[in-house]
Amino acid sequence: MFKKSSMSRRRLLYMGVSGLAGAIAVAVAKDRLPIYPSQAVNNLTRDFKVAGLTPLKGRATAKGLIYGAASGQDFLASDKTLQASIVRECGILVPENELKWQFLRPRPDVFDFSKSDWLAQFARTHKMLFRGHTLVWYEQLPEWFKEVVNRQNAEKFFVEHITTVTKRYAGQMHSWDVVNEAIEPDDGQKAGLRKSPWLEFLGPDYIELAYRLAAQADPKAMLVYNENALEYSGRKEEVKRTAVLKLLERLKSRGTPIHALGIQSHLVAQEGALNAKKLRSFLSDVASLGLKILITELDVSDQKLPLDPAVRDRIVASVYEDYLSVVLDEKAVIAVLNWGLSDRHTWLSTFTPRSDGAPVRPLPLDSSFKPKLAWNAMARAFDQARKR
Ligand code: XIL
């Protein structure tokens, strides 16, 4: 059930985005509609006013929340303005790629920590928390992985990797995404597990093993299970939420050292339908297992929105505000991170580019590091959140 919230229950019932034409049509008929796409309706009337100029990290901290972002090392090291923006806005930093196998392990017997160490040092210098992403994933494995790793030696590689990497940053990590994206019901495996080399070589208990190894090497870090496509109300997402919940229940019941769920939150304006009630009750279910929740990779794709940047920015900001007001209503949510901070560097430029070639605008700062309405939306959501 909903607790006190800044949004009316009716508005929270069902949220989705539609185009401006749809928005106007819906706005006209809204009194007759028990369910309507609120982002579009409110898009025309919301003012996104924010009190003061306090950066996002200060607004989050005031509510007992942590705010931060991911960044790649190469562009952070070479861009003083990005550095200043991250230092100003963020209380936590996560390497966007540098702790993945592909980057850490150029050869089977070599670990290269130079870039992740640089980011750890940057976080330390600027008194930011540091977060690890990710130890076990089916993607971004090195080229050599397929040739070298097999059923016979997979466990050796797995144990060595998790132990070496977590030990290196032991005591310095706020949290680790120990396992990333292990559920994919469409793959047709038992318990909705995703087909991956780890499942194939080690069997379903690879997940539990990963948490035990990480806890042993770094007993202080919060150990997170990170997952995508949990946010929206489609059948697929519903099935995935159920499978994730079952996985978390099983891990907890076996005494696995797992402390939190990471909800990636790659949102899509104009497409994603957010059922606030379903999402809210999923968050409660996770919290009732004694787990914290982190929003780990928030961004809002504007791929399908009209060209006009002002129109796009309003819709994107609405998606931010609507989503955050639902998730921050759950007190177990302790952190919000964007996947990038400025539109200058976002994976969506290549992953979901616009067909008209216009640069995408999914993040709180624009490509010259100026706050956009999405920044206001985040600031408002933090300001309105209950204290943790
Ligand atoms: C992305 C990075 O942002 C890109 O630079 C890289 O090319 C591919 O991976 N979910 C995750 C992240 O867990 O690791 C992904 O990061 C984005 C989706």
Side-chain angles (χ1 to χ4, degrees):
M1 278 322 290
F2 278 103
K3 298 185 202 93
K4 194 171 159 286
S5 157
S6 56
M7 304 171 80
S8 78
R9 269 204 70 184
R10 209 177 95 159
R11 220 184 108 197
L12 280 166
L13 262 180
Y14 187 94
M15 298 195 288
V17 194
S18 69
L20 284 181
I24 293 159
V26 172
V28 170
K30 81 175 178 195
D31 285 330
R32 283 182 283 122
L33 284 173
I35 285 174
Y36 56 86
S38 73
Q39 288 155 341
V41 171
N42 289 286
N43 183 40
L44 300 174
T45 51
R46 289 193 201 185
D47 59 18
F48 296 106
K49 274 207 185 102
V50 171
L53 293 169
T54 309
L56 294 177
K57 78 170 166 199
R59 293 173 195 268
T61 309
K63 300 301 170 72
L65 285 160
I66 302 167
Y67 171 73
S71 179
Q73 189 272 341
D74 43 358
F75 50 82
L76 186 60
S78 60
D79 188 336
K80 294 280 178 217
T81 322
L82 176 62
Q83 289 184 16
S85 306
I86 289 202
V87 169
R88 184 183 69 240
E89 300 289 345
C90 297
I92 189 165
L93 178 69
V94 56
E96 186 169 341
N97 288 302
E98 290 74 2
L99 287 167
K100 295 171 182 173
W101 279 65
Q102 189 185 36
F103 284 72
L104 273 187
R105 307 203 56 171
R107 292 194 300 280
D109 53 347
V110 175
F111 283 84
D112 177 1
F113 288 105
S114 52
K115 293 191 168 185
S116 48
D117 281 357
W118 188 97
L119 287 163
Q121 181 59 44
F122 182 87
R124 210 169 23 250
T125 305
H126 299 287
K127 304 201 171 13
M128 298 160 78
L129 299 169
F130 193 51
R131 196 175 134 61
H133 173 85
T134 175
L135 297 164
V136 181
W137 195 22
Y138 72 103
E139 272 202 341
Q140 290 190 270
L141 293 165
E143 284 288 318
W144 54 260
F145 190 92
K146 258 203 250 71
E147 323 303 327
V148 174
V149 181
N150 54 45
R151 201 175 292 276
Q152 281 67 48
N153 63 19
E155 187 164 341
K156 175 184 96 47
F157 273 101
F158 189 83
V159 173
E160 174 199 51
H161 184 85
I162 295 175
T163 308
T164 308
V165 179
T166 45
K167 268 201 178 138
R168 179 149 191 118
Y169 298 105
Q172 297 177 47
M173 280 290 180
H174 165 268
S175 49
W176 258 114
D177 289 338
V178 177
V179 178
N180 194 33
E181 301 178 358
I183 296 287
E184 180 44 272
D186 281 356
D187 280 0
Q189 304 296 296
K190 229 177 120 204
L193 290 178
R194 182 189 289 278
K195 277 189 184 162
S196 81
W198 302 121
L199 181 63
E200 186 189 339
F201 296 145
L202 304 177
D205 288 339
Y206 81 88
I207 300 177
E208 182 174 338
L209 175 60
Y211 287 88
R212 294 198 184 280
L213 291 165
Q216 212 166 33
D218 185 356
K220 290 218 172 109
M222 177 184 288
L223 303 184
V224 182
Y225 173 70
N226 198 47
E227 187 55 273
N228 67 9
L230 294 173
E231 304 81 12
Y232 287 126
S233 67
R235 178 81 193 124
K236 256 175 99 102
E237 289 88 347
E238 180 89 54
V239 170
K240 192 163 193 177
R241 281 195 292 273
T242 306
V244 166
L245 210 50
K246 287 218 174 97
L247 169 68
L248 297 175
E249 272 163 14
R250 184 178 144 80
L251 291 171
K252 285 296 284 183
S253 74
R254 294 175 55 84
T256 315
I258 177 168
H259 311 119
L261 171 67
I263 300 181
Q264 290 186 9
S265 311
H266 294 293
L267 306 181
V268 184
Q270 201 92 50
E271 278 199 338
L274 193 70
N275 183 318
K277 203 172 164 195
K278 282 190 183 166
L279 177 58
R280 185 66 187 81
S281 76
F282 173 69
L283 301 174
S284 300
D285 290 345
V286 173
S288 66
L289 292 173
L291 295 169
K292 298 294 184 199
I293 299 167
L294 291 81
I295 303 303
T296 48
E297 305 183 13
L298 181 58
D299 53 19
V300 179
S301 169
D302 64 343
Q303 188 190 34
K304 302 282 163 61
L305 297 182
L307 177 60
D308 183 349
V311 172
R312 274 192 274 158
D313 285 359
R314 293 192 70 78
I315 297 176
V316 165
S318 302
V319 177
Y320 269 102
E321 192 170 37
D322 286 346
Y323 182 71
L324 285 176
S325 56
V326 177
V327 296
L328 293 177
D329 192 52
E330 170 54 65
K331 276 199 165 187
V333 174
I334 56 153
V336 177
L337 287 100
N338 279 118
W339 205 242
L341 182 63
S342 136
D343 294 337
R344 178 172 295 228
H345 305 285
T346 160
W347 73 304
L348 296 178
S349 307
T350 45
F351 196 77
T352 55
R354 292 175 56 86
S355 57
D356 56 20
V360 295
R361 304 175 66 83
L363 290 167
L365 305 187
D366 71 11
S367 57
S368 3
F369 306 101
K370 283 208 263 325
K372 302 187 311 189
L373 286 185
W375 184 97
N376 291 42
M378 296 197 77
R380 285 165 63 89
F382 292 151
D383 290 352
Q384 281 161 28
R386 286 178 298 146
K387 212 166 161 25
R388 270 59 190 154

